[in-house]
Amino acid sequence: MEMTDKNVAFLYSSVCPDDRQKEGFVEFLEKKYNKPFELEWVEDQNILKGFKLVVDDEVYDWTLEGRYQQFKDMIENATGKAHITDDGSQYISTMKTSVDDWSVKVSPEEEGVVKTVGDGIVTASGLDSAQYGEVVLFESGVKGMVQDLRPDELGIILFGSDKEITEGSRVRRTKKTAGIPVGDNFLGRVVDALGNPIDGLGEIEADDYRPVETPAPGILDRQPVNEPMNTGLLAIDSMFPIGRGQRELIIGDRQTGKTAIALDTMLNQKGKDVICIYVAIGQKASSIAHLVGTLRKNDAMKYTIIVAATASDSAPLQYISPYAGTAMGEYFMNKGKDVLIVYDDLSKHAIAYRAMSLLLERSPGREAYPGDVFYLHSRLLERSAHLSSEKGGGSLTALPIVETQAGDVSAYIPTNIISITDGQIFLESDLFFSGQRPAVNVGLSVSRVGGAAQTKAMKKAAGSIRLDLAQYREMEVFTQFSSDLDDATKRQLTYGQGLMRLLRQNQNNPLKLYEQVITLVSATAGIMIEIPIEKITEFRKFMLESFASDEAALCRRIEETGKFSDDDKDYIIEKAKGYVDTFIKKNL
């Protein structure tokens, strides 16, 4: 048999495709697999509608039954069913104490001797009574924390330089657990993982001193998550609402807009009496400085605290930083305030903990992470809550960020955190690079709080948008192989393309509630279908500006009450139709 460089794909259908359709299939295959293909048609009268495309072991099933099954699978996958369990029982504390507080008289049995030092890890003998997670102090003034208890020695992680610590140096117990200064004066400031200011604006006078780690609120101390924490992003607030006290994971590959979503959410809290805390873990100092500059430019630093553990900081400081940020948030939560905390990102946090654990000679497990890495994040995220009225009614809402490799959400750390959180916003590289920003994958994203965290106005306005987008995605893939479309299908495609374009938003430009409601009501009514796709964004701006000037009372009522009536809905649609006609006359 003569060898050929081309690969063969088989198309099963009841009707033979024409030449134009065959060219479409071949073009799809060559683009998908980056190699030449030949297409062979196989007649199959059992396929009433659609086709099957077989490439080696892969099957593209676009029969009627196949499309139904794919839609069903997509719904099931969106529930995020990963469950990771762990029986780790270690309860870890972290440190922050002032050197001036050391007034305890140290007895001989409470002193130890350094045996080895290197890479921020110290092993010491003595200190037989030291406890796990206890703060210890070295002769040089450097502080550390007991992280490993062995029969004849301790493993200690350092929160400072190890240059002045040598073999034979003395180390003493403090009998103190870790803590961090907290207070209202931290608002508007940038601090390190120990609460020390690093923004050059002087010292910070603390109002209180809290343990870095505390037990999560119990069930009786919580109340249901039922108040919205609006992001200002239409794609999220309409389909994956976040409630105060919820934990919503932001997950995606590098450079897909994860931090941008968190930043927009922080900007959207302006004037809403919400405290924002941003914990930067293992990031470049320049990136943090840029983010601080954006917050200052938008007058958002006055209600924000930045806790920064940069890439140049040691692994122990990166490890401690999210717990320190959470302790700051709990101070405000216990005062009855609403707090939003962003962990950016927990992938680097897990890597820092892995580095520490390997240096402490702990056994590596799956993907070289220690077995208790699940407990690391579960005890952190469980501290987010909506407190009961008896406890003041405050809330701590968490937006953890996780970076994936090539979209692999089944890796160890992503599956761990998916199983801990109350939903995830999945960002897709292909969507991002195609210009769909925020690049939210509507099929894989989910909020397990759902409509309970939406205002009545948003719930009514959102309607069937998620189902409409799901139908559009199914139809879009199916129709790429055929140009012979009926009018109803073309209209559905145009409607879906318009919805996708409406979900695009510029960075640092969150929408107000009334702007989202008006946009959704107008879009789902289908009144924008006559406007070309490339003009949709321009029309939205024109329409929202017109509503703000012509119908200020309506906009204000929706914004303040979170409600609108059926008559309001009909009125919005009628006004929007008039704006469509005006826009078309002016621009088309």
Side-chain angles (χ1 to χ4, degrees):
M1 176 182 276
E2 185 176 340
M3 296 295 290
T4 175
D5 293 331
K6 292 196 174 183
N7 300 272
V8 179
F10 297 93
L11 177 69
Y12 295 82
S13 65
S14 58
V15 179
C16 181
D18 58 31
D19 292 337
R20 188 174 179 180
Q21 291 172 327
K22 288 181 179 178
E23 289 175 3
F25 282 113
V26 171
E27 183 179 354
F28 162 75
L29 291 168
E30 292 181 347
K31 184 178 180 181
K32 173 78 174 177
Y33 295 94
N34 198 28
K35 55 186 178 182
F37 269 90
E38 287 182 352
L39 185 70
E40 287 190 15
W41 173 63
V42 179
E43 184 177 4
D44 188 348
Q45 292 301 326
N46 292 322
I47 299 177
L48 300 179
K49 288 186 178 181
F51 59 87
K52 282 187 180 180
L53 185 63
V54 180
V55 184
D56 295 327
D57 294 330
E58 296 182 330
V59 178
Y60 298 87
D61 187 352
W62 290 110
T63 61
L64 188 62
E65 297 82 2
R67 295 200 302 274
Y68 169 77
Q69 186 61 44
Q70 288 173 17
F71 182 78
K72 182 180 177 183
D73 292 342
M74 181 272 293
I75 296 296
E76 292 177 351
N77 289 336
T79 60
K81 294 180 179 177
H83 294 288
I84 306 295
T85 59
D86 187 73
D87 60 353
S89 58
Q90 296 173 326
Y91 188 85
I92 308 172
S93 314
T94 45
M95 62 76 55
K96 166 57 180 127
T97 41
S98 172
V99 175
D100 295 335
D101 288 342
W102 306 125
S103 58
V104 179
K105 185 176 180 181
V106 181
S107 58
E109 66 270 19
E110 292 174 317
E111 288 188 351
V113 179
V114 172
K115 295 176 66 177
T116 62
V117 58
D119 296 317
I121 302 295
V122 170
T123 58
S125 59
L127 299 177
D128 294 336
S129 302
Q131 299 179 0
Y132 191 88
E134 181 180 344
V135 174
V136 294
L137 184 67
F138 293 87
E139 286 179 326
S140 62
V142 174
K143 291 158 284 186
M145 184 180 72
V146 178
Q147 189 75 2
D148 215 18
L149 297 174
R150 304 168 191 163
D152 300 318
E153 62 185 19
L154 301 175
I156 301 169
I157 58 174
L158 298 177
F159 295 110
S161 172
D162 60 8
K163 291 183 179 178
E164 297 183 18
I165 300 174
T166 60
E167 182 180 349
S169 296
R170 307 295 294 180
V171 55
R172 64 174 184 172
R173 291 182 63 195
T174 65
K175 298 183 180 178
K176 293 180 180 287
T177 55
I180 190 169
V182 295
D184 293 338
N185 293 328
F186 282 83
L187 293 173
R189 301 299 299 271
V190 183
V191 299
D192 64 13
L194 304 177
N196 302 313
I198 56 174
D199 52 8
L201 299 178
E203 294 298 316
I204 303 173
E205 184 177 347
D207 297 330
D208 201 355
Y209 198 77
R210 280 188 62 83
V212 170
E213 290 212 46
T214 54
I219 294 176
L220 296 178
D221 294 332
R222 299 173 182 247
Q223 62 176 306
V225 175
N226 51 23
E227 297 179 22
M229 176 68 73
N230 289 324
T231 66
L233 297 170
L234 190 61
I236 296 174
D237 290 342
S238 62
M239 294 180 283
F240 318 107
I242 300 171
R244 301 192 177 193
Q246 187 176 343
R247 303 153 302 174
E248 183 79 0
L249 172 63
I250 303 173
I251 185 169
D253 284 1
R254 183 175 178 272
Q255 297 294 322
T256 51
K258 301 185 296 298
T259 301
I261 286 181
L263 179 57
D264 280 351
T265 305
M266 293 166 65
L267 295 177
N268 195 51
Q269 307 314 312
K270 185 176 180 179
K272 297 181 180 178
D273 197 26
V274 175
I275 305 296
C276 296
I277 299 174
Y278 179 84
V279 182
I281 309 168
Q283 295 186 42
K284 294 184 295 185
S286 59
S287 299
I288 300 172
H290 179 73
L291 182 135
V292 172
T294 302
L295 290 170
R296 288 203 170 116
K297 180 181 177 181
N298 290 275
D299 197 28
M301 274 301 289
K302 62 185 179 183
Y303 57 84
T304 302
I305 302 172
I306 307 293
V307 180
T310 66
S312 61
D313 287 331
S314 64
L317 285 174
Q318 293 182 42
Y319 160 71
I320 188 182
S321 56
Y323 302 101
T326 305
M328 289 183 173
E330 286 172 333
Y331 166 78
F332 293 103
M333 177 178 70
N334 291 332
K335 291 175 65 176
K337 294 190 176 183
D338 294 309
V339 183
L340 171 70
I341 185 165
V342 177
Y343 305 110
D344 192 4
D345 63 63
L346 293 187
S347 303
K348 294 185 179 69
H349 183 239
I351 290 170
Y353 185 67
R354 175 172 64 185
M356 285 168 36
S357 297
L358 295 177
L359 288 169
L360 287 166
E361 299 180 1
R362 292 181 180 168
S363 299
R366 179 179 165 187
E367 297 176 26
Y369 290 100
D372 62 340
V373 75
F374 176 86
Y375 182 57
L376 187 76
H377 292 142
S378 64
R379 72 175 192 270
L380 171 69
L381 293 169
E382 286 296 330
R383 292 162 70 177
S384 298
H386 186 193
L387 294 181
S388 64
S389 299
E390 292 76 13
K391 291 288 184 178
S395 68
L396 180 64
T397 307
L399 293 181
I401 295 175
V402 166
E403 183 179 303
T404 55
Q405 304 293 329
D408 183 16
V409 295
S410 65
Y412 191 24
I413 301 305
T415 52
N416 275 358
I417 301 175
I418 285 172
S419 67
I420 297 167
T421 51
D422 308 310
Q424 66 273 350
I425 297 167
F426 182 73
L427 304 181
E428 195 171 16
S429 298
D430 291 344
L431 286 173
F432 183 85
F433 294 122
S434 68
Q436 187 68 32
R437 303 177 187 182
V440 179
N441 182 311
V442 179
L444 294 180
S445 302
V446 65
S447 171
R448 298 189 183 97
V449 172
Q454 279 181 311
T455 60
K456 292 182 179 179
M458 180 60 75
K459 192 182 297 186
K460 183 185 291 188
S464 61
I465 183 172
R466 191 171 181 185
L467 182 59
D468 292 343
L469 286 171
Q471 292 173 341
Y472 163 68
R473 288 198 316 276
E474 291 291 301
M475 198 173 295
E476 181 189 36
V477 176
F478 175 57
T479 54
Q480 67 179 308
F481 303 119
S482 174
S483 59
D484 186 17
L485 303 175
D486 58 80
D487 290 340
T489 302
K490 288 179 180 178
R491 185 175 180 84
Q492 184 71 22
L493 279 172
T494 304
Y495 171 65
Q497 290 167 352
L499 283 182
M500 291 296 290
R501 185 59 64 102
L502 276 176
L503 294 180
R504 294 186 183 185
Q505 269 181 254
N506 292 330
Q507 192 172 340
N508 305 333
N509 187 32
L511 295 176
K512 297 176 181 175
L513 176 62
Y514 81 84
E515 293 175 325
Q516 294 183 337
V517 168
I518 290 171
T519 300
L520 287 169
V521 169
S522 305
T524 53
I527 66 168
M528 302 183 196
I529 203 161
E530 303 300 327
I531 297 177
I533 299 300
E534 64 274 8
K535 293 283 187 179
I536 288 283
T537 304
E538 184 181 343
F539 169 72
R540 179 179 65 184
K541 181 181 178 183
F542 165 74
M543 178 181 68
L544 293 178
E545 289 175 349
S546 300
F547 266 104
S549 60
D550 300 344
E551 305 295 336
L554 173 63
C555 296
R556 186 166 54 252
R557 187 169 75 251
I558 294 174
E559 188 72 26
E560 292 175 356
T561 66
K563 300 176 183 177
F564 70 98
S565 65
D566 291 336
D567 290 339
D568 289 335
K569 182 176 182 179
D570 295 337
Y571 183 72
I572 290 171
I573 293 173
E574 285 302 315
K575 290 290 291 185
K577 286 179 179 177
Y579 293 139
V580 168
D581 295 337
T582 303
F583 184 82
I584 290 176
K585 288 177 183 177
K586 285 184 177 181
N587 297 276
L588 300 177

